Each structure stands twice: as structure tokens, then as C-alpha cells.
């Protein structure tokens, strides 16, 4: 290789490295493009309100990719607001105004992160965002996304506190001065979607908004409180649908959850006494209509509303997994909203969008304990090495029941699912998948192809159960051979 070729190669590495470093310093939303035509015709779309929750070093870094994907594939008017909630144990302290404390090693974890750098870049782009910094800027459009950082709660896994950030966001959005429905529908929001930081959209934010368009969108006016990882697919699962000795059913029955509740109906204002209120399982990650969100908040604000009564019941009986049961139970026990769940075909696909089997593709609950109480996986998984913990601040592998980390070997299944989002996706596990999503349609769907069809059909190799292994170290091997020779 000549000196010239070496120089070119080093220059390529330098450019690639600088691109990775600089990708967080600019907010490239479509409206920030000098050539963007605001007058161009686009299909009607819903105004989405997103909540992104992050809680540790890895999800904060992963959250930067999620925020970038939403901001840079969302056209003006598609995304009304994005709220970022940082776990209070990490917080959003700034080095500029807060004194450093030796005992708090994560004190500036968010401040020093790529997510914070990208948030600041978006704050500095009035064409992209509205916020306290540029609220009075004449260049900031009413269609620009409201972007805000918050840190109020420290959720504990499987405890009631897992619901706190979501309920806070729903209440905040319901009463938000700039997004209140009293200011007009065009300034409000239509759909609330909450996401973990280690989630990525499969398709663009613009496409998601079009699918959720309230009047004619195939997902419009539908409440998704679960995904296909639930036993009954895209609809919530009744506690009675689980086998008698299954973990979830057994746990709730052992806690003597009351079969009936008495409460004030938040819609009619009438008192309902001893109403059968079965528990339903769903997911903590949802897509909800504005009307249902308002209903939940009203029922939480009234001391005897169903939301408050159900919350107190779940806390007093010390049941776990309330983040999976609270919203699903609220929806399925509401005469007004129980019929807004997805309508499915016989094969489990969405009736109004038959290519969609999941709202969010995850791999979880695919293994079950054997006779000795051990978990055995039915499919290959990504092996999480020890060094992963060092890069992520001490995080270990996924729990035996999931959700498991996804990578390029899962692309075929993601493609089949027709899901809008995937989780868990991390730069620390497989950054190839992070770079591929979201998919943008190259054909404009004129040939009948959807974005999902453009994903490569890559799957886990059959039968072999491939495992990712550390690189072979030749020096160590050679030393061992030397010792044998000297004997």
C-alpha cells in the first residue's frame, strides 16, 4: 500500500469518526432544510405527543438515537410535543449551575450525554422546536415540535411507581397551556405514545402520524394498550385467559384482588356500586387517543374515580406488574372506551391494516421454567458480554423472561410483524440495527411495497443456534503451544 493510499484511508477514518462525533451537534429536522417547501401537499396526519423515558447510561445514549429518529423524520405538524423524562436517580443537573458532589457519580450523566447534546442542538433550531429558549423567536412556527426535559420520578421495577412518569405525562399533556383543546384542535394533540429510550421506530415519524390520522388513518381512534407479546396479541388479556397455574394469574389470585369495585364514573358522574372489575394484562408501552387519556386523568383527579380506586386497590394488595395491568384494566372496564381496542382478523392481524401484527416488536416471554424452575430459551439470543456492563454503567443481561436485545438477525421477524416500533435496541449490542432504522420508503409506495418490505429478510440461522463469540487471540494460543514444546 502506497503512502498516498494510506493517507486516503486515514482521511476516511477521520471523516467517519468526525461524522459520528458531530451527528449530535445539529438538528436536521425537515423544516430546518433551506429547500423545505411548507406548502407541499402531504396526506392528513395525526399530531402525536411522545414521552421518552430513560433511566441509566445505556438508555440515555440509546434515547439520543430515538429522539433523532423522531425529530428528523417528522414533518411540521406531525409531532406536537416530545417529553423526555430522566429517572430522578440520574437527574438533569447541569455542570453550569450545580456544584459537583463526590458521592453522586451519576450526577452529570445526562448533562454529559449525547442525548443532552442533541436536545441542545434542537433547542437552538427554532424551525424544529418550540421551547422556553426560543418561545419568543419569530422564526419558531406553531407547527414546530415542543421539546422539554423533565426529571420527577424514580420508578422501581414491577412496582406501582413504574406508572408515575406515564401518568404525570398524561396529566401534563391534558392541561398543557399551549396544547389544551380549548386553544383549538390544530394546536392540540391526537395520540399519546410512550416509549422507552431503547426503542426505535421502524418507519418514519411522518408515516406513523399518517397511520394514526383520527378520521381516515387505519390506526385512528384506536387505543393500543398492549402488543403481540401479550397472550391475546394486540388486545388486552383477561386474567382468566391465563392458565390456572401460570405466574401472572397465580400472583394476582394469591393477593386476593377484589372482584368488584365501587367508584364514580368519570364520563357520566354517576356512582357505581360493586361493579365486577376483572384485571386485564397489557403493556406499559402504549398508543392512546386524546379522549381516553383525558378520561384516565379525570378518573385520577376525582378521589372516588375508577382510576384512583383501582390505583389504591393495586397498591394496598401489593401486587406486582401494575404497569402491565392498570391501563389495560381501565380501558376494558370502561363502557365508553372498551370498544376502541384493535379489531383483529382470524390470523391476529389488525383488521384495518392487515400487514400489522404488532404495535411494537419485542422478544419476551418466549421461554418458560422447566420442572426444576430453570428458564430455557426456545430461540437463540444475543450473548451480552461482561464488557457490556463497563460500557453501560454496570448493566447486566436481560431478565430470563425478556425483553431481549434485538439485532440484525431479528430483521426478518421485525419485517413480518409490521410493527411501528422495536425494543430493546441498543448501540451497545448491535449498532447495525440502530443505523438501519427507521426505514424510509424509496418507491413512495406506488408499487404497492410498504416500508417493511424494504427490510432485508435476515433471520437467526436455523438449528445451529449461533452465538456471538469474542475474537480469537493468537498470542495467547501461541504461548500455550510453546510451553508444550519445551516439556
Amino acid at each position: 500500500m502506497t503512502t498516498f493510499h494510506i493517507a486516503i484511508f486515514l482521511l476516511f477514518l477521520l471523516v467517519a469518526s468526525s461524522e459520528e462525533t458531530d451527528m449530535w451537534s445539529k438538528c436536521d429536522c425537515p423544516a430546518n432544510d433551506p429547500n423545505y417547501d411548507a406548502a407541499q401537499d402531504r396526506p392528513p396526519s395525526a399530531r402525536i405527543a411522545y414521552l421518552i423515558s430513560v433511566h441509566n447510561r445505556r438508555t440515555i445514549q440509546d434515547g439520543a438515537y430515538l429522539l433523532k429518529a423522531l425529530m428528523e423524520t417528522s414533518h411540521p405538524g406531525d409531532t406536537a410535543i416530545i417529553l423526555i423524562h430522566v429517572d430522578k436517580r440520574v437527574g438533569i443537573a447541569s455542570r453550569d449551575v450545580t456544584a459537583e458532589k463526590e458521592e453522586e457519580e451519576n450526577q452529570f450523566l445526562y448533562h454529559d450525554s449525547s442525548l443532552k447534546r442533541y436536545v441542545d442542538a434542537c433547542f437552538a433550531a427554532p424551525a424544529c422546536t418550540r421551547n422556553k429558549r426560543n418561545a419568543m423567536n419569530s422564526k419558531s412556527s406553531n407547527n414546530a415540535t415542543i421539546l422539554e426535559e423533565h426529571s420527577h420520578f424514580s420508578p422501581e421495577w414491577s412496582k406501582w411507581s413504574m406508572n408515575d412518569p406515564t401518568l404525570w405525562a398524561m396529566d401534563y399533556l391534558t392541561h398543557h397551556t399551549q396544547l389544551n383543546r380549548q386553544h383549538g384542535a390544530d394546536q392540540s394533540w391526537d395520540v399519546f405514545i410512550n416509549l422507552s429510550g431503547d426503542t426505535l421506530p421502524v418507519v418514519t415519524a411522518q408515516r406513523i402520524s399518517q397511520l394514526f390520522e383520527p378520521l381516515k388513518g387505519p390506526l385512528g381512534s384506536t387505543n393500543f394498550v398492549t402488543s403481540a407479546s401479550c397472550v391475546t396479541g394486540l388486545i388486552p388479556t383477561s386474567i382468566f385467559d391465563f392458565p390456572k397455574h401460570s405466574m401472572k394469574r397465580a400472583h394476582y389470585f394469591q393477593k386476593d384482588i377484589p372482584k368488584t369495585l365501587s367508584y364514580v364514573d368519570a364520563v357520566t358522574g354517576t356512582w357505581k356500586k360493586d361493579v365486577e372489575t376483572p384485571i386485564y394484562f397489557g403493556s406499559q408501552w402504549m398508543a392512546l387517543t386524546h379522549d381516553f387519556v383525558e378520561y384516565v386523568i379525570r378518573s385520577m383527579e376525582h378521589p372516588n374515580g375508577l382510576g384512583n380506586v383501582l390505583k389504591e386497590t393495586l397498591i394496598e394488595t401489593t401486587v406486582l406488574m401494575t404497569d402491565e395491568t392498570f391501563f389495560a384494566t381501565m380501558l376494558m372496564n370502561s363502557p365508553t372506551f372498551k370498544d376502541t381496542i384493535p379489531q383483529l382478523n382470524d390470523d391476529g392481524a389488525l383488521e384495518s391494516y392487515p400487514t400489522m401484527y404488532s404495535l411494537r416488536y419485542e422478544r419476551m416471554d418466549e421461554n418458560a421454567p422447566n420442572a426444576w424452575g430453570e428458564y430455557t430459551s426456545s430461540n437463540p439470543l444475543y450473548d451480552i458480554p461482561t464488557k457490556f456492563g463497563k460500557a453501560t454503567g454496570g448493566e447486566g443481561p436481560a431478565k430470563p423472561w425478556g425483553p431481549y436485545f434485538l439485532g440484525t438477525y431479528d430483521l426478518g421477524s421485525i419485517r413480518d410483524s409490521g410493527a411501528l416500533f422495536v425494543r430493546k435496541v441498543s448501540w451497545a449490542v448491535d449498532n447495525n440495527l440502530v443505523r438501519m432504522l427507521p426505514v424510509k420508503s424509496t418507491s413512495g409506495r406506488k408499487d404497492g411495497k410498504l416500508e417493511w418490505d424494504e427490510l432485508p429478510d435476515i433471520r437467526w440461522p436455523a438449528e445451529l443456534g449461533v452465538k456471538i463469540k469474542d475474537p480469537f487471540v493468537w498470542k495467547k494460543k501461541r504461548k500455550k503451544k510453546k510451553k508444550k514444546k519445551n516439556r
Side-chain angles (χ1 to χ4, degrees):
M1 185 180 285
T2 66
T3 304
F4 173 76
H5 286 110
I6 292 174
I8 293 295
F9 177 68
L10 290 175
L11 182 62
F12 170 78
L13 289 179
L14 183 62
V15 170
S17 175
S18 64
E19 284 180 354
E20 178 69 21
T21 303
D22 291 337
M23 67 185 293
W24 310 117
S25 62
K26 186 179 180 184
C27 191
D28 284 321
C29 74
N32 215 20
D33 185 339
N35 299 317
Y36 176 74
D37 181 10
Q40 63 181 311
D41 290 331
R42 294 196 311 273
S45 61
R47 286 172 60 81
I48 310 287
Y50 289 100
L51 167 67
I52 299 174
S53 296
V54 296
H55 66 277
N56 61 9
R57 185 186 302 275
R58 178 185 61 78
T59 56
I60 289 174
Q61 177 62 25
D62 293 336
Y65 290 95
L66 171 57
L67 179 62
K68 190 175 181 69
L70 294 177
M71 286 296 305
E72 300 188 4
T73 64
S74 174
H75 285 259
D78 294 338
T79 303
I81 184 170
I82 299 177
L83 298 173
I84 300 171
H85 184 271
V86 183
D87 192 299
K88 202 173 179 180
R89 284 165 291 206
V90 175
I92 53 176
S94 169
R95 287 187 184 275
D96 302 329
V97 296
T98 308
E100 188 168 359
K101 299 177 182 178
E102 289 184 12
E103 68 275 12
E104 294 184 20
E105 59 176 321
N106 291 331
Q107 183 182 7
F108 300 116
L109 192 61
Y110 175 72
H111 182 271
D112 297 338
S113 69
S114 299
L115 176 56
K116 175 60 175 171
R117 284 187 60 207
Y118 186 68
V119 165
D120 286 343
C122 291
F123 280 166
C128 300
T129 65
R130 287 185 287 160
N131 47 70
K132 293 176 182 177
R133 296 191 197 181
N134 60 24
M136 304 304 292
N137 194 318
S138 59
K139 295 181 180 178
S140 187
S141 164
N142 282 340
N143 278 329
T145 298
I146 297 173
L147 179 61
E148 298 182 9
E149 311 156 291
H150 295 269
S151 181
H152 305 295
F153 306 99
S154 303
E156 293 184 60
W157 182 79
S158 203
K159 301 288 182 65
W160 171 261
S161 56
M162 293 286 286
N163 292 304
D164 287 338
T166 303
L167 284 168
W168 162 80
M170 291 166 70
D171 180 78
Y172 187 78
L173 290 168
T174 300
H175 299 104
H176 197 288
T177 53
Q178 291 175 279
L179 296 175
N180 195 292
R181 280 190 167 176
Q182 294 176 359
H183 290 265
D186 60 329
Q187 293 300 308
S188 187
W189 52 273
D190 303 304
V191 180
F192 167 69
I193 299 177
N194 65 328
L195 302 168
S196 170
D198 52 10
T199 304
L200 274 180
V202 179
V203 295
T204 65
Q206 180 188 23
R207 184 81 167 103
I208 292 169
S209 293
Q210 291 168 359
L211 291 170
F212 275 106
E213 199 277 319
L215 297 178
K216 295 184 179 180
L219 312 185
S221 303
T222 304
N223 283 298
F224 294 87
V225 290
T226 184
S227 191
S229 55
C230 206
V231 176
T232 48
L234 280 167
I235 60 176
T237 305
S238 168
I239 196 77
F240 297 105
D241 289 339
F242 288 95
K244 284 188 177 180
H245 299 292
S246 64
M247 181 270 291
K248 290 183 177 180
R249 177 168 174 165
H251 173 70
Y252 270 71
F253 274 70
Q254 286 168 3
K255 294 292 185 177
D256 292 326
I257 289 282
K259 294 181 180 179
T260 65
L261 295 176
S262 298
Y263 55 88
V264 172
D265 189 306
V267 175
T268 64
T270 57
W271 175 254
K272 295 194 171 185
K273 186 174 176 59
D274 297 331
V275 180
E276 283 194 19
T277 313
I279 297 293
Y280 284 81
F281 269 85
S283 169
Q284 74 178 106
W285 311 113
M286 306 166 290
L288 307 175
T289 64
H290 194 298
D291 288 341
F292 179 64
V293 169
E294 279 193 344
Y295 164 75
V296 171
I297 295 307
R298 284 202 307 272
S299 71
M300 295 295 292
E301 290 174 340
H302 195 292
N304 294 314
L306 175 59
N308 248 340
V309 173
L310 180 59
K311 171 186 174 180
E312 294 304 319
T313 301
L314 296 174
I315 292 174
E316 287 172 8
T317 53
T318 66
V319 291
L320 303 177
M321 301 170 284
T322 58
D323 53 323
E324 297 179 26
T325 58
F326 177 74
F327 295 100
T329 301
M330 286 287 295
L331 181 68
M332 297 306 290
N333 285 281
S334 166
T336 305
F337 293 101
K338 67 179 182 180
D339 293 330
T340 62
I341 61 173
Q343 303 301 309
L344 306 182
N345 293 327
D346 291 340
D347 63 352
L350 194 65
E351 200 174 83
S352 59
Y353 204 63
T355 58
M356 181 177 174
Y357 292 83
S358 302
L359 176 71
R360 181 192 63 262
Y361 179 78
E362 289 180 322
R363 289 184 61 188
M364 64 185 303
D365 291 341
E366 65 179 30
N367 48 28
N370 58 23
W372 295 273
E374 299 169 334
Y375 284 87
T376 54
S377 177
S378 56
N379 292 304
L381 304 173
Y382 277 87
D383 183 36
I384 307 302
T386 306
K387 61 186 177 182
F388 177 78
K390 295 178 182 177
T392 58
E395 186 176 357
K399 292 178 172 59
W401 51 87
Y404 312 118
F405 285 105
L406 303 177
T408 47
Y409 278 133
D410 297 297
L411 278 168
S413 296
I414 293 169
R415 172 183 168 136
D416 293 344
S417 73
L420 302 185
F421 301 96
V422 289
R423 176 178 180 263
K424 300 163 73 170
V425 180
S426 180
W427 63 276
V429 175
D430 190 345
N431 59 10
N432 294 302
L433 188 59
V434 172
R435 290 201 299 266
M436 290 183 70
L437 300 177
V439 178
K440 298 177 183 177
S441 176
T442 55
S443 63
R445 300 189 294 279
K446 293 177 182 176
D447 56 0
K449 282 183 69 174
L450 298 174
E451 293 91 332
W452 295 267
D453 298 323
E454 299 186 26
L455 287 171
D457 192 10
I458 300 174
R459 301 174 188 269
W460 286 90
E463 299 178 3
L464 297 177
V466 169
K467 180 181 178 181
I468 310 298
K469 205 176 179 187
D470 287 337
F472 176 77
V473 182
W474 170 250
K475 286 183 180 178
K476 290 183 180 178
K477 209 73 176 174
R478 188 170 58 184
K479 284 180 182 176
K480 286 181 181 178
K481 286 183 178 179
K482 238 179 179 180
K483 285 180 182 177
K484 284 182 182 179
K485 199 173 182 181
N486 293 336
R487 284 177 184 172

